Amino acid sequence: MLPPLGMYREIAAAHPGLRPGLREATRHGINVMRHMFSPVRMARRVRWLGGRAPVDLSGIRVPTLVLTGDPELDRVVPVRATREYLTLIPHARLERLERTGHLGLITRPEVFCRVVGPFAADAVRADARRRVV
């Protein structure tokens, strides 16, 4: 079971070579089939959000990491739309995961951890310093 072609490009970019790309795409396709999403629930959430007023994010004071992948590989959310969080959340920091798109946590878990791990550790240390003062 292979994922849609748009997702295959992202998976293949993260796992260069025909055999590794096909192996990872097949593994991802099986995982998708095992854990099916619900279009009904997704539509319900979209309708619920549609009736809400825009949320003011300028009051966020905690460390915020905005992650994107490569613009040409993200077929789910345009990277330019994700980058808008940088204008909405003060002090938000942007990191880009190379050779992946929307599925960076799945396709490049080691890179994801190298980015998110230190960010989280810094946030914990900063919080501990604030509590001591």
Side-chain angles (χ1 to χ4, degrees):
M1 171 59 60
L2 292 176
L5 186 57
M7 291 297 173
Y8 177 75
R9 286 186 59 226
E10 177 179 349
I11 293 167
H15 302 279
L18 182 61
R19 189 170 289 171
L22 286 174
R23 182 181 61 242
E24 288 302 312
T26 301
R27 190 176 68 77
H28 180 66
I30 290 168
N31 197 32
V32 166
M33 294 304 292
R34 263 193 219 141
H35 307 283
M36 295 293 289
F37 65 93
S38 168
V40 171
R41 282 188 295 196
M42 291 172 69
R44 190 179 317 136
R45 288 181 192 129
V46 168
R47 281 193 302 275
W48 180 79
L49 290 171
R52 305 283 181 217
V55 176
D56 178 15
L57 304 178
S58 64
I60 294 176
R61 298 288 179 246
V62 296
T64 304
L65 180 62
V66 176
L67 288 176
T68 71
D70 290 333
E72 64 277 2
L73 294 174
D74 194 332
R75 302 287 186 212
V76 179
V77 178
V79 169
R80 65 175 160 62
T82 301
R83 291 178 61 94
E84 288 179 20
Y85 283 109
L86 298 172
T87 63
L88 300 172
I89 303 171
H91 314 293
R93 189 173 102 199
L94 176 68
E95 290 285 344
R96 179 174 155 188
L97 304 181
E98 302 290 328
R99 294 187 7 245
T100 192
H102 194 75
L103 303 175
L105 172 62
I106 296 167
T107 58
R108 308 279 321 274
E110 70 290 342
V111 175
F112 180 87
C113 289
R114 280 197 301 265
V115 170
V116 174
F119 176 82
D122 288 348
V124 168
R125 281 192 292 276
D127 186 56
R129 282 193 300 274
R130 276 192 300 276
R131 290 175 191 265
V132 169
V133 173

